[in-house]
Amino acid sequence: MATLADPATQFTRLPHPAPMAVDARGAVLADPGFGKAFTDHMVTIDWEEGKGWHSAVIGPRGPLSLDPAAAVLHYAQEIFEGLKAYRLADGSTALFRPDANARRFNASAQRLAMPALPEDLFIAAIKELVRADADWFPSVEGGSLYLRPFMIATEAFLGVRPAKTYSFIVIASPAGNYFKSGAPAVSIWVSDYTRAAPGGTGAAKCGGNYAASLVPTAEAFARGHDQVLFLDAAEHRWVEELGGMNLFFAFDDGRLITPPLGGTILPGITRDSLIALARDEGLSVSEEPYSLDAWRADAASGKLVEAFACGTAAVVTPVGKVADRNGDFVIGSGGPGQLTGKLKDRLVAIQRGTAPDPHGWVVPL
Ligand SMILES: *Cc1c(COP(=O)(O)O)cnc(C)c1O
């Protein structure tokens, strides 16, 4: 079979024998939650050494058939992405910066010794799926269609080396507002565990990073916190990120700081977008190391006025309280701050098409 030179025209479209009934779908879309309901369709594209990407199919969503020796099940050769499709005010639909997700996917693929996927094929696959599942946009305020592209090593082989066959798959999940009544300020626990070490996989969006974050996260929950914060591996001193969100700090002199990307932090697209929007607002944003000690001292002196976390799923979430073994401290009033709210509103307005898009981030479908 030929490789996919012109991907958009080469998807095989399989009919769905039994899509979800309209009433049942309506009930799901009225209260979708996050990540628990799935649409009718999925995209799969296969890769084989010597042949490249082939057999692009959009068809009914269903279980995968994998050999029990498939490399992904043993050595975690897996990467993923997360992005949202939005229904805009005028009824049309759009993606937000899918090219950035495509680029990051390939950066992750390279780190996990997986094949690169042409960026236009990544985006074409997502467009196919959103088109097929266009009736799956939630009816609720703040709703979106969350897209989960991922790649797994499918070769049946237990030797340790990069697999020779892979599948790229895209599924979709209707998503409500991550936090039902706006974003409350979260309380975070500073973990003794490490998420990523220099030279490791911290900058790759791979499932293995998440598996390793589950125990630290469970510990944070058990102590009554909402999220876990990871410090750097070498000195256990510098703030890196949460289990799945990047962090920002806002000061009383209008400065904004976010930890620098250096291989141990996931380069968030929300992070990158907020840096640009904050600069548009005339704020000075610096990517520089910030220590937990400085955070505690600046919160106490009042120099630090707000802190917030960001990522595609929850967009922007204020951080109200931080705790570690030495005690806890509160940021500002402990509630959502003004700048946090303003930046979030700016970003959401662009994503939803209610404000101009000066950076050309919105891709109509
Ligand atoms: C995906 C992810 C983020 C946020 O990235 P976005 O592109 O903004 O969604 C941050 N940290 C980690 C560890 C992630 O996996």
Side-chain angles (χ1 to χ4, degrees):
M1 188 177 297
T3 51
L4 292 159
D6 182 10
T9 59
Q10 294 188 35
F11 280 86
T12 300
R13 298 183 178 87
L14 301 180
H16 199 306
M20 190 183 283
V22 174
D23 284 359
R25 188 178 66 218
V28 169
L29 296 181
D31 184 20
F34 184 82
K36 63 185 172 91
F38 300 95
T39 63
D40 289 319
H41 296 89
M42 68 180 187
V43 168
T44 58
I45 311 177
D46 296 325
W47 186 91
E48 188 180 329
E49 192 177 74
K51 188 167 167 184
W53 293 102
H54 66 92
S55 305
V57 176
I58 169 113
R61 179 181 179 280
L64 304 175
S65 173
L66 274 184
D67 191 285
V72 63
L73 302 176
H74 302 272
Y75 308 128
Q77 217 189 346
E78 187 269 356
I79 58 169
F80 67 95
E81 271 302 325
L83 68 162
K84 286 174 172 173
Y86 301 91
R87 191 172 288 291
L88 308 186
D90 65 3
S92 66
T93 56
L95 298 168
F96 184 73
R97 305 188 69 182
D99 50 314
N101 293 94
R103 274 197 303 280
R104 187 171 66 187
F105 193 66
N106 282 334
S108 300
Q110 185 176 39
R111 182 63 184 86
L112 276 283
M114 301 172 96
L117 181 74
E119 285 176 26
D120 57 351
L121 187 52
F122 178 97
I123 293 170
I126 286 167
K127 288 183 171 175
E128 283 287 333
L129 185 59
V130 176
R131 223 170 278 138
D133 286 328
D135 292 335
W136 279 91
F137 281 81
S139 39
V140 294
E141 165 87 28
S144 59
L145 192 59
Y146 182 81
L147 299 154
R148 171 50 63 87
F150 62 105
M151 193 199 319
I152 54 173
T154 53
E155 188 190 0
F157 178 65
L158 294 181
V160 179
R161 59 146 170 77
K164 294 178 193 250
T165 61
Y166 297 87
S167 288
F168 169 71
I169 303 170
V170 193
I171 56 174
S173 173
N177 220 339
Y178 203 80
F179 295 105
K180 278 210 167 71
S181 54
V186 295
S187 165
I188 61 180
W189 169 252
V190 184
S191 187
D192 292 329
Y193 289 96
T194 322
R195 192 189 84 91
T201 57
K205 213 166 173 72
C206 60
N209 288 343
Y210 277 73
S213 75
L214 297 178
V215 163
T217 303
E219 193 177 88
F221 290 170
R223 289 172 178 273
H225 303 284
D226 307 299
Q227 289 282 340
V228 67
L229 167 76
F230 293 103
L231 300 176
D232 74 294
E235 296 180 71
H236 206 69
R237 177 174 167 210
W238 305 102
V239 173
E240 297 220 310
E241 62 171 311
L242 304 187
M245 283 191 266
N246 298 115
L247 280 167
F248 281 84
F249 306 93
F251 296 87
D252 59 359
D253 58 0
R255 271 180 325 127
L256 209 52
I257 286 182
T258 189
L261 304 176
T264 56
I265 291 178
L266 201 288
I269 295 161
T270 317
R271 173 189 181 278
D272 187 71
S273 306
L274 290 172
I275 290 174
L277 293 181
R279 287 184 176 147
D280 291 351
E281 297 283 329
L283 296 167
S284 112
V285 187
S286 66
E287 301 177 60
E288 65 177 64
Y290 191 57
S291 70
L292 180 62
D293 289 341
W295 190 356
R296 189 184 284 111
D298 292 343
S301 73
K303 251 175 76 179
L304 178 79
V305 288
E306 298 176 38
F308 59 89
C310 67
T312 295
V315 192
V316 174
T317 305
V319 175
K321 191 167 105 177
V322 182
D324 71 358
R325 295 190 182 284
N326 303 318
D328 57 27
F329 61 93
V330 171
I331 297 120
S333 61
Q338 255 185 4
L339 178 68
T340 303
K342 184 174 172 186
L343 286 175
K344 177 177 185 166
D345 291 347
R346 284 275 292 128
L347 181 56
V348 170
I350 294 171
Q351 290 171 333
R352 305 232 161 230
T354 58
D357 173 26
H359 298 279
W361 288 334
V362 174
V363 176
L365 285 166

